[in-house]
Amino acid sequence: MDCKRVLLSEKEMPTAWYNLQADFPKPLPPPLHPGTHQPLSPADLEPIFAKELIAQEVSQERWIEIPEAVRKIYAIWRPSPLVRATNLEKALKTPARIYFKDESHSPPGSHKPNTSVPQAYYNKMQGINHLTTETGAGQWGSSLAFACAFFDMKCKVYMVKVSYHQKPYRRSMMHIWGADVTPSPSHETEAGRQILAADPECPGSLGIAISEAVEAAVARDDTHYTLGSVLNHVMLHQTVIGLEAEKQFKLIEDYPDVILGCVGGGSNFAGLSFPFIRHKLQGKDIRFVACEPHSCPSMSRGQYRYDFGDTTKLTPLLKMFTLGHGFVPPGIHAGGLRYHGMAPMVSFAATLGLVEAAAFHQIECFEAAKLFAATEGTIPAPESSHAIRGAINEAIRCRETGEEKCILFNLSGHGLCDMGSYDRFLSNKLEDYAYPQDKIEEATADLPVVD
Amino acid sequence: MDCKRVLLSEKEMPTAWYNLQADFPKPLPPPLHPGTHQPLSPADLEPIFAKELIAQEVSQERWIEIPEAVRKIYAIWRPSPLVRATNLEKALKTPARIYFKDESHSPPGSHKPNTSVPQAYYNKMQGINHLTTETGAGQWGSSLAFACAFFDMKCKVYMVKVSYHQKPYRRSMMHIWGADVTPSPSHETEAGRQILAADPECPGSLGIAISEAVEAAVARDDTHYTLGSVLNHVMLHQTVIGLEAEKQFKLIEDYPDVILGCVGGGSNFAGLSFPFIRHKLQGKDIRFVACEPHSCPSMSRGQYRYDFGDTTKLTPLLKMFTLGHGFVPPGIHAGGLRYHGMAPMVSFAATLGLVEAAAFHQIECFEAAKLFAATEGTIPAPESSHAIRGAINEAIRCRETGEEKCILFNLSGHGLCDMGSYDRFLSNKLEDYAYPQDKIEEATADLPVVD
């Protein structure tokens, strides 16, 4: 019988990440200083990021070596399997071939450690022993805690207060790996104290947690800040996913016609897509679909312009698709897909016509997740279910047209720490919600015009 | 660099299970009828078990073919990796080589689907479309639900009521895979109604849930009962673990000196050990250590005699190490290691001097689990942490003696659905507890004497 999973040995793991910046037909718009609106210099970022990461952020090199120490930790779960979803194909009665890259087997359960490990490593090499970050549902925070455990670094996570109390499992994972987790807003930072003075019951937000984590990093010389998505160096580290997939397709003599990934900040989508976008730029006929919730439609309905990365306007301005930094995420269950912006590299690729966007409602995504779990076994993360929905819709179109397309999507993580969301789906407590257009107009009205 | 994980391709997956009964130097004592105390006939079991499984229960064949349909589902996560725990070795400064077989990557997260899949398959082949079972913490129930989803069978799980309310995540997993989950005791069965009439607030127990699941299976012609451990056919199916490990050690030209597994009913320990016990019977110098909690010390302090499998004396009598069917499990956190008995095959192997027992306290096991998570990444199931504790102790002894032993243990599952237990450990709320000897004497005093 044909093999269900296409496996690579550790020796076949990629030894360099791929940098799409080297192949963009024109330069990516640079980040701007929030005060002067001038392009940032590397020195502007040195108080909070490792020098090597800043260099990667602006690098035009096509290949950047993966350090051996990073590959040794990657080897705990990488290379990850490429899986043929034969049971799902049968259930859909589609002539299409469906594959997924399975990023759910890392210890924290998602693709996030592909970047938390190198981020911890480069900081450690520079003599930094303490990292801060923010986390919402906890996927990024737990991945950074995991990485810090391996490099014997302190890890401080500001976790959105409402998630801290409602999502105890990922908080506990961070504790097991030795991280210090503080519900945000907290009294530990000036930003937190100001918020709490105004509203002692404030449930917190990602924007506030970012402010606290950045402030805590700036306050100490031995401490840096880390981000789990959006930035160029994060996209770079995630390309290990697509580079492995490229080798795996070669082994089985197949090749994808369409590649899908869910998008919040954009990192898992970029990781799988960018190595194949390089082929598209070389003439290959291949489509890329970024799958997002209708409740947070930055790619499909946002504006492409300079905006802040956080709610409180502390970060540099990034050229990206945005719903406005004042975006208030509605209470949907795809925890990781609630950011107002989209990675500048993914956004730029979309403006160049390389990437399409598709938006889905949460109920149809949970339905796709349930079918996936019953046919392929794994219970997917609610975030990943957007990519599954997109892939299923492609496969259904193939059933109708008779096309034997090859569909590839990224299973960015499992849903074992998100069963509460599944419960609400199964008990019919979920409602669909499309983010109102007028709110986008309103939230982007006061953005600086710098183009 | 050497490879962290030893992987086999799907084509190298074993095609037959290994039956240790064929190689025992004398016959395994048979199960007895609870009324007549005479050996059971296959016909006695046909109302609740598939014929093929009953045949396997008593088979003396050395090799039993794994059906292709079963191997196709195994292929979702099998062959499982054999992992060298190099980071743990370094942390322990041991000259020992530590390996673990990683059973945590199945969709339900443990070794249990190695038997739930063939059990569902053989029943389906016989025209049975409905399976019942009991579950405590939910690992077995979720594995059976997973298997039934693949064979389009109905699955009914009686879940101990206190777990139903306290462990919602595994309950939700069962729902996602389409199972019907009922808190036990319930009003659906005579057994449940009797218990509730006497005590409407009864929190339930595994013994009561077994009674309900068996009654529900007997009541309907199209329905059978399934068990996730203890029985010979369950041990058989789990040997796929050890057979893979045997091939993996051949590939890397190494061989274990000692093999450890945690034991509740005995299935994951048996699965890894039995193929190597075959080597021991052929003269190999190799030790086998069954790791159990001091709070449920059936192997180290139980009596080897005929006892019932359930609390209410409905099941056949099994010759096994037992704490007495009246054993009341104390409130420790290793959910799966709370059964009063031990698999007859594992018990018999111990009486033949093939298997040793070791008991551990829960706090030292959680400490081992935390060290494992910080060095090897994966957060282990609390059950599995008993094997890790045992392996670490062996490695520490090697540090003291200078012996370069090869240690192999079974990582039977991950702990992502058990983070509540970790929370209690991290906040110092756990206490150690050794089951009192006089309670064992008391609970075994009224056992039938049939030897």
Side-chain angles (χ1 to χ4, degrees):
Chain A
M1 57 188 174
D2 282 337
C3 286
K4 177 81 183 157
R5 297 181 298 163
V6 184
L7 303 175
L8 297 176
S9 76
E10 186 177 331
K11 292 186 168 108
E12 296 167 293
M13 191 194 297
T15 55
W17 294 298
Y18 167 66
N19 181 13
L20 179 57
Q21 286 195 69
D23 290 320
F24 273 139
K26 49 184 185 174
L28 184 70
L32 304 181
H33 191 283
T36 65
H37 295 185
Q38 293 304 305
L40 278 187
S41 76
D44 291 329
L45 296 169
E46 286 183 10
I48 57 169
F49 290 120
K51 283 182 189 168
E52 201 68 41
L53 296 169
I54 297 169
Q56 292 177 357
E57 192 65 18
V58 296
S59 172
Q60 300 298 310
E61 294 294 318
R62 186 168 289 112
W63 299 101
I64 293 177
E65 193 192 335
I66 308 176
E68 192 182 329
V70 170
R71 279 188 286 135
K72 275 198 167 169
I73 301 178
Y74 275 180
I76 290 173
W77 75 98
R78 306 210 70 86
S80 74
L82 175 74
V83 188
R84 175 83 183 265
T86 38
N87 302 314
L88 179 61
E89 291 169 14
K90 265 181 221 151
L92 295 171
K93 298 187 175 69
T94 178
R97 301 182 302 291
I98 308 176
Y99 295 88
F100 61 94
K101 185 72 172 157
D102 189 352
E103 293 293 308
S104 73
H105 294 297
S106 74
S110 79
H111 69 293
K112 293 285 186 189
N114 294 334
T115 186
S116 69
V117 173
Q119 288 193 50
Y121 168 79
Y122 289 119
N123 276 289
K124 181 76 178 183
M125 288 303 102
Q126 199 182 311
I128 295 294
N129 281 306
H130 194 164
L131 294 177
T132 71
T133 201
E134 72 288 334
T135 201
Q139 274 187 321
W140 168 242
S142 58
S143 296
L144 188 67
F146 162 81
C148 285
F150 279 79
F151 292 108
D152 197 20
M153 299 170 82
K154 281 193 198 170
C155 179
K156 171 79 175 185
V157 182
Y158 291 90
M159 186 172 189
V160 176
K161 193 179 277 176
V162 61
S163 297
Y164 183 92
H165 294 297
Q166 283 178 1
K167 308 239 171 183
Y169 275 35
R170 286 221 182 82
R171 181 187 71 201
S172 308
M173 288 165 72
M174 293 184 250
H175 283 150
I176 287 289
W177 283 313
D180 179 13
V181 189
T182 300
S184 165
S186 77
H187 285 283
E188 294 179 6
T189 65
E190 186 53 38
R193 286 189 292 271
Q194 278 182 16
I195 301 272
L196 288 170
D199 176 9
E201 301 304 313
C202 174
S205 74
L206 215 47
I208 296 167
I210 293 178
S211 302
E212 292 205 80
V214 170
E215 184 185 324
V218 170
R220 294 172 57 112
D221 279 349
D222 68 341
T223 304
H224 273 169
Y225 168 74
T226 61
L227 198 67
S229 192
V230 179
L231 299 181
N232 303 345
H233 66 267
V234 178
M235 307 298 126
L236 175 76
H237 301 155
Q238 294 293 354
T239 59
V240 68
I241 303 172
L243 293 167
E244 286 176 7
E246 189 184 356
K247 288 190 184 194
Q248 288 162 316
F249 273 107
K250 238 177 223 163
L251 274 179
I252 55 170
E253 300 177 355
D254 205 345
Y255 192 85
D257 294 302
V258 54
I259 293 181
L260 307 97
C262 65
V263 286
S267 76
N268 92 76
F269 172 78
L272 180 60
S273 297
F274 283 6
F276 290 93
I277 288 184
R278 156 170 134 262
H279 300 178
K280 188 180 175 92
L281 289 166
Q282 291 162 354
K284 269 274 186 192
D285 183 18
I286 176 168
R287 287 171 54 222
F288 300 89
V289 185
C291 302
E292 65 184 5
H294 271 305
S295 53
C296 184
S298 56
M299 288 280 280
S300 42
R301 292 200 278 124
Q303 301 184 7
Y304 184 61
R305 58 191 297 182
Y306 273 103
D307 194 2
F308 299 94
D310 69 333
T311 319
T312 47
K313 305 190 193 181
L314 289 174
T315 71
L317 288 160
L318 301 172
K319 186 84 180 266
M320 59 184 177
F321 281 101
T322 179
L323 301 167
H325 57 270
F327 171 74
V328 179
I332 69 151
H333 296 289
L337 309 181
R338 299 168 72 170
Y339 185 66
H340 69 276
M342 179 53 55
M345 288 183 78
V346 173
S347 297
F348 191 56
T351 65
L352 295 172
L354 299 167
V355 168
E356 311 161 30
F360 302 97
H361 281 295
Q362 63 177 346
I363 293 175
E364 63 183 342
C365 290
F366 276 105
E367 282 165 352
K370 188 168 191 287
L371 177 62
F372 184 76
T375 52
E376 297 299 326
T378 302
I379 298 174
E383 292 89 344
S384 316
S385 73
H386 291 71
I388 300 174
R389 180 76 260 170
I392 288 176
N393 288 4
E394 290 283 341
I396 290 173
R397 271 192 288 278
C398 287
R399 180 176 71 206
E400 288 158 2
T401 62
E403 286 173 290
E404 296 179 4
K405 277 192 188 166
C406 176
I407 300 167
L408 168 64
F409 71 88
N410 204 6
L411 184 69
S412 59
H414 66 62
L416 297 182
C417 296
D418 305 279
M419 297 310 297
S421 302
Y422 277 98
D423 273 348
R424 285 186 283 279
F425 162 65
L426 290 170
S427 53
N428 296 313
K429 285 185 187 150
L430 293 187
E431 283 180 25
D432 284 338
Y433 170 89
Y435 196 67
Q437 196 62 32
D438 57 351
K439 280 205 183 181
I440 303 174
E441 310 296 338
E442 193 184 306
T444 50
D446 71 333
L447 288 184
V449 178
V450 289
D451 297 271
Chain B
M1 56 187 176
D2 282 338
C3 286
K4 178 82 182 155
R5 297 181 298 164
V6 186
L7 302 175
L8 297 176
S9 77
E10 185 176 332
K11 290 182 171 114
E12 295 168 293
M13 192 194 296
T15 56
W17 295 296
Y18 167 67
N19 181 12
L20 178 58
Q21 286 194 69
D23 289 321
F24 273 138
K26 50 185 186 174
L28 184 71
L32 304 182
H33 191 283
T36 65
H37 295 185
Q38 292 304 304
L40 278 189
S41 76
D44 291 329
L45 296 169
E46 285 183 11
I48 57 168
F49 290 120
K51 284 181 189 170
E52 200 69 42
L53 295 170
I54 297 169
Q56 292 176 358
E57 194 65 18
V58 297
S59 172
Q60 300 297 313
E61 294 294 318
R62 186 168 290 112
W63 299 101
I64 294 177
E65 194 194 334
I66 307 176
E68 191 183 330
V70 171
R71 280 188 286 136
K72 275 197 167 171
I73 302 178
Y74 276 179
I76 290 173
W77 74 98
R78 304 209 72 84
S80 74
L82 176 73
V83 187
R84 175 85 184 264
T86 38
N87 302 314
L88 179 61
E89 291 169 14
K90 264 181 225 154
L92 295 171
K93 299 188 176 68
T94 179
R97 301 181 301 291
I98 308 176
Y99 296 88
F100 61 94
K101 185 73 172 155
D102 190 353
E103 293 294 307
S104 73
H105 294 297
S106 74
S110 78
H111 68 294
K112 293 285 185 190
N114 294 335
T115 185
S116 69
V117 172
Q119 288 194 49
Y121 168 79
Y122 289 119
N123 276 291
K124 181 76 178 183
M125 289 303 101
Q126 199 182 311
I128 295 293
N129 280 305
H130 195 163
L131 295 177
T132 72
T133 200
E134 71 289 334
T135 201
Q139 273 188 323
W140 168 243
S142 58
S143 296
L144 188 67
F146 162 80
C148 286
F150 279 79
F151 291 110
D152 198 19
M153 298 170 85
K154 281 193 199 172
C155 178
K156 170 80 173 185
V157 182
Y158 292 90
M159 185 171 188
V160 176
K161 194 179 277 176
V162 61
S163 297
Y164 182 91
H165 293 297
Q166 282 178 1
K167 309 239 172 186
Y169 274 35
R170 285 223 182 81
R171 181 188 72 202
S172 307
M173 287 165 72
M174 295 183 248
H175 283 150
I176 287 289
W177 284 313
D180 180 13
V181 189
T182 299
S184 165
S186 78
H187 285 283
E188 293 179 6
T189 65
E190 187 52 37
R193 286 188 292 270
Q194 278 181 16
I195 300 273
L196 288 171
D199 176 9
E201 303 303 313
C202 173
S205 75
L206 214 47
I208 296 168
I210 293 179
S211 302
E212 292 205 81
V214 170
E215 183 185 325
V218 171
R220 294 173 57 112
D221 281 348
D222 67 342
T223 304
H224 274 170
Y225 167 73
T226 61
L227 198 66
S229 193
V230 180
L231 299 180
N232 303 344
H233 67 267
V234 178
M235 306 298 125
L236 175 75
H237 301 154
Q238 294 293 355
T239 59
V240 68
I241 302 172
L243 293 167
E244 286 177 4
E246 191 184 356
K247 289 190 183 194
Q248 287 161 318
F249 274 107
K250 236 177 227 166
L251 275 180
I252 55 170
E253 299 178 354
D254 204 345
Y255 190 85
D257 295 301
V258 53
I259 293 180
L260 306 99
C262 66
V263 286
S267 75
N268 92 76
F269 172 78
L272 180 61
S273 297
F274 284 6
F276 290 92
I277 287 184
R278 157 171 133 263
H279 300 180
K280 187 179 176 91
L281 289 167
Q282 291 163 354
K284 269 274 186 192
D285 183 19
I286 175 169
R287 289 171 53 222
F288 300 90
V289 185
C291 303
E292 65 184 5
H294 271 304
S295 53
C296 184
S298 56
M299 287 280 280
S300 42
R301 291 200 279 125
Q303 301 185 7
Y304 183 61
R305 58 192 296 184
Y306 274 102
D307 194 2
F308 299 95
D310 68 332
T311 319
T312 47
K313 306 189 193 183
L314 289 174
T315 71
L317 287 160
L318 301 173
K319 185 86 180 263
M320 59 184 177
F321 281 100
T322 179
L323 301 168
H325 57 271
F327 171 74
V328 179
I332 67 150
H333 295 290
L337 309 181
R338 299 169 69 171
Y339 186 65
H340 68 276
M342 179 52 56
M345 289 183 77
V346 172
S347 298
F348 191 55
T351 65
L352 295 173
L354 299 168
V355 167
E356 310 161 31
F360 302 97
H361 281 296
Q362 62 177 348
I363 293 175
E364 62 182 343
C365 291
F366 276 105
E367 281 164 354
K370 188 167 190 287
L371 177 62
F372 184 77
T375 51
E376 297 300 324
T378 301
I379 297 174
E383 292 88 345
S384 316
S385 73
H386 291 71
I388 299 175
R389 179 76 260 171
I392 287 177
N393 288 3
E394 290 284 341
I396 290 172
R397 272 192 288 277
C398 288
R399 182 176 68 205
E400 288 157 4
T401 62
E403 285 175 293
E404 295 179 4
K405 277 194 188 165
C406 176
I407 300 168
L408 168 64
F409 71 88
N410 205 4
L411 183 70
S412 58
H414 65 63
L416 296 183
C417 296
D418 305 278
M419 296 311 297
S421 303
Y422 277 99
D423 273 348
R424 285 186 284 278
F425 162 64
L426 290 172
S427 53
N428 297 314
K429 286 185 187 150
L430 294 189
E431 281 178 25
D432 284 338
Y433 170 89
Y435 196 67
Q437 196 62 30
D438 58 350
K439 280 204 181 182
I440 302 174
E441 310 297 337
E442 193 184 308
T444 50
D446 71 333
L447 287 185
V449 178
V450 290
D451 299 272

